[in-house]
Amino acid sequence: MSRITGETGTRPAGAEPNKWAVLAITLLGIFMSALDSGIVNISLPKISLSFHVPLSGMVEWVIIGYLVVIASLLLSLGRLADITGRKALWTAGIAVFTVSSALCGAAPSLPLLVVFRVFQGIGAAMTMAISSAMIASVFPIEERGRTFGIVAAVVSVATSAGPTVGGIITQAFSWRWIFYINIPIGVIGIIATLRFYSEPERPVGGAQRFDPVGAALLSACVACLMLGISFGQEAGWGSAIIVGLFSAAAILFTAFLAAEMRVRQPIVDFSLFRNRLFSSAVVSSFLSFLALFAVTFLMPFYLEELLSFPPRQAGLLMTVVPLAIALIAPLSGILSDRIGSQVLSSLGLAIGSVGLWFLSNLTPNATIFDIVWPLAVTGFGQGMFQSPNNNAIMSSVPLNRLGIASGFQAIARVLGQGFSVALAGAIFTSLGGAHAGALLVRKAASPVGLLQATFTHAFHAAMLTCMIVAAVGVLTSLVRGPLR
């Protein structure tokens, strides 16, 4: 019988009898979190109307507060799971998310809705930080690629379905039901976790301690970084508040490093980065989301402002990317179980960069076919990359570091997406694309041809920059070492 060996000892590969039940439980939590993001985004106009506030301002914090809390807690919670075990943290996360969803649905005012969304973000962070660790803890290495492929497919389906489901619920009932829908899902998740999930491994090898000072400094650092990214475009990258947030992030990170050097069991085990496979996979994951998430961010502007497509048609076209990921990710994951991650992940990012190149050549006269196939190529590359790369991250660490590895996997995604919006948005806006798009929507008196040319130039520049980032990601993916 094959065996998996790590610092915690050994366990027989595939010995967990309820591994498929654990996968189903994990997918339920992942689906709920992924669906929630799309549902809430599409319902923001109704929320602002309900509370009689403008769409800009405090209502933005319904999204921003949720995302900032998630990003700031991922690594600390991943480390906590390595110490206390995963079942308790996962169950608590589902419970917090479910209760907070009920409170969000019943929120009598916008400030309270924001507060409840922050607590919902805490619950989401608990599950996101350890979902990959739960899967890796019950599946042997030779089956993880397939399971991570299934996870990628479920996330893609939930992401593509979110806006549609949110629109239907909001129109048929009210925006409050986009939160209430989480309650039965969460209850099922809690019951299933308590019934079917048992810890396959308990952390051993000496008493482990959680470093609260390091966790607080790290969380504050990431929070300042995410806030700076979120408001940089709106406030101006050179404004005092944005410079102050980035400066605070740098100071807090320096203090975090200094504090970690004084403790025997730090929050972040930097020795993991001595493993070339792990470090390469994490960096490549960050670069992939930095490059490819810009498509999700900018394409709606291209479709609605430049081509004058109605939002429903634009949303339908945008489902091409997640559906392509859902199609290829399980196949890529299965293949990675046989040949490893290096070739597949590198090739996937290369295909994604080619897709970005084709998108950078779109014109104001593009047909639906001209738009769909480059989006499909981009999604195909992203799906080919994700499953093998996630498998590499989780299979390159010992068993008692699965939690922190899962945290790194999640934060690479969140930070990559945040920086992607900031980078693409800054390029697009600085070259006049945002202003030109606004004038096109208002049908201003400016020459339409000039506005279209300005918009197209800005859009092309953003896509080409992201293509370069993806090409760098191909190089960081190629240098990964073999799985040991």
Side-chain angles (χ1 to χ4, degrees):
M1 182 181 295
S2 62
R3 303 180 76 85
I4 299 173
T5 304
E7 291 181 9
T8 58
T10 62
R11 65 177 174 85
E16 173 57 46
N18 291 330
K19 60 184 180 182
W20 295 108
V22 173
L23 177 62
I25 293 167
T26 309
L27 291 177
L28 187 68
I30 292 173
F31 183 85
M32 184 167 60
S33 298
L35 187 70
D36 184 78
S37 297
I39 284 180
V40 175
N41 289 350
I42 201 69
S43 301
L44 281 184
K46 292 293 185 181
I47 293 175
S48 65
L49 184 64
S50 173
F51 290 118
H52 308 289
V53 296
L55 191 56
S56 59
M58 180 173 283
V59 74
E60 295 177 343
W61 282 91
V62 174
I63 302 296
I64 294 173
Y66 179 79
L67 295 178
V68 168
V69 168
I70 289 176
S72 64
L73 294 177
L74 286 173
L75 287 177
S76 298
L77 291 172
R79 171 59 179 157
L80 185 63
D82 284 333
I83 297 173
T84 64
R86 290 170 284 272
K87 182 175 181 178
L89 196 62
W90 176 268
T91 307
I94 295 291
V96 170
F97 190 91
T98 304
V99 172
S100 299
S101 295
L103 293 173
C104 286
S109 65
L110 183 58
L112 279 178
L113 175 60
V114 172
V115 171
F116 296 147
R117 276 285 281 175
V118 167
F119 283 104
Q120 193 182 38
I122 294 173
M126 290 180 179
T127 58
M128 290 175 62
I130 61 172
S131 58
S132 293
M134 287 179 63
I135 293 171
S137 70
V138 297
F139 281 90
I141 287 178
E142 60 269 21
E143 294 181 7
R144 289 179 187 170
R146 173 174 55 171
T147 56
F148 284 124
I150 295 172
V151 170
V154 169
V155 170
S156 299
V157 170
T159 301
S160 60
T164 302
V165 174
I168 293 173
I169 293 175
T170 302
Q171 185 172 347
F173 303 99
S174 77
W175 64 265
R176 297 184 182 276
W177 282 93
I178 65 174
F179 296 108
Y180 289 147
I181 194 175
N182 293 324
I183 297 174
I185 301 175
V187 171
I188 293 172
I190 293 172
I191 294 173
T193 302
L194 295 175
R195 172 66 178 82
F196 294 107
Y197 183 53
S198 58
E199 291 283 353
E201 293 276 349
R202 291 293 298 173
V204 297
Q208 297 195 58
R209 295 182 179 179
F210 185 75
D211 176 22
V213 175
L217 290 172
L218 180 61
S219 297
C221 168
V222 176
C224 289
L225 185 63
M226 286 294 294
L227 287 171
I229 295 171
S230 300
F231 292 106
Q233 194 66 49
E234 180 180 339
W237 295 105
S239 64
I241 187 170
I242 300 303
V243 172
L245 284 169
F246 286 139
S247 299
I251 293 171
L252 287 166
F253 184 69
T254 303
F256 167 72
L257 292 178
E260 293 294 89
M261 292 179 181
R262 295 189 177 94
V263 296
R264 296 183 59 185
Q265 297 179 354
I267 290 292
V268 177
D269 184 0
F270 288 104
S271 66
L272 292 176
F273 286 93
R274 297 173 189 167
N275 183 329
R276 187 152 48 97
L277 176 58
F278 176 82
S279 57
S280 171
V282 170
V283 172
S284 299
S285 180
F286 171 77
L287 292 176
S288 74
F289 284 104
L290 174 57
L292 299 173
F293 190 75
V295 175
T296 303
F297 170 62
L298 281 184
M299 278 302 295
F301 292 96
Y302 170 83
L303 295 171
E304 295 181 31
E305 294 182 348
L306 186 63
L307 301 189
S308 299
F309 283 5
R312 182 175 299 179
Q313 185 178 7
L316 183 62
L317 287 173
M318 287 306 300
T319 62
V320 171
V321 173
L323 291 178
I325 295 174
L327 178 65
I328 192 61
L331 300 176
S332 179
I334 292 172
L335 196 55
S336 72
D337 288 331
R338 301 180 181 179
I339 67 173
S341 68
Q342 185 179 39
V343 173
L344 290 168
S345 294
S346 304
L347 181 60
L349 262 182
I351 293 173
S353 65
V354 171
L356 290 168
W357 163 258
F358 287 124
L359 289 172
S360 74
N361 288 283
L362 290 175
T363 69
N365 302 315
T367 65
I368 290 180
F369 177 77
D370 294 332
I371 297 166
V372 167
W373 73 263
L375 287 175
V377 170
T378 306
F380 185 94
Q382 194 169 355
M384 180 176 287
F385 169 82
Q386 283 186 12
S387 306
N389 198 71
N390 290 343
N391 186 14
I393 293 174
M394 298 309 302
S395 297
S396 61
V397 300
L399 296 176
N400 63 344
R401 291 294 184 269
L402 287 177
I404 191 64
S406 182
F408 269 113
Q409 177 188 317
I411 202 168
R413 178 178 68 253
V414 173
L415 289 181
Q417 291 174 340
F419 275 101
S420 182
V421 171
L423 175 64
I427 294 171
F428 184 69
T429 302
S430 64
L431 294 178
H435 181 64
L439 292 177
L440 286 170
V441 170
R442 295 201 300 265
K443 301 185 185 302
S446 302
V448 173
L450 179 60
L451 293 176
Q452 290 178 335
T454 301
F455 185 102
T456 304
H457 172 66
F459 179 80
H460 288 177
M463 290 293 104
L464 285 172
T465 302
C466 291
M467 183 199 72
I468 294 172
V469 173
V472 174
V474 173
L475 298 178
T476 62
S477 181
L478 283 171
V479 300
R480 67 182 63 196
L483 177 62
R484 294 189 296 273

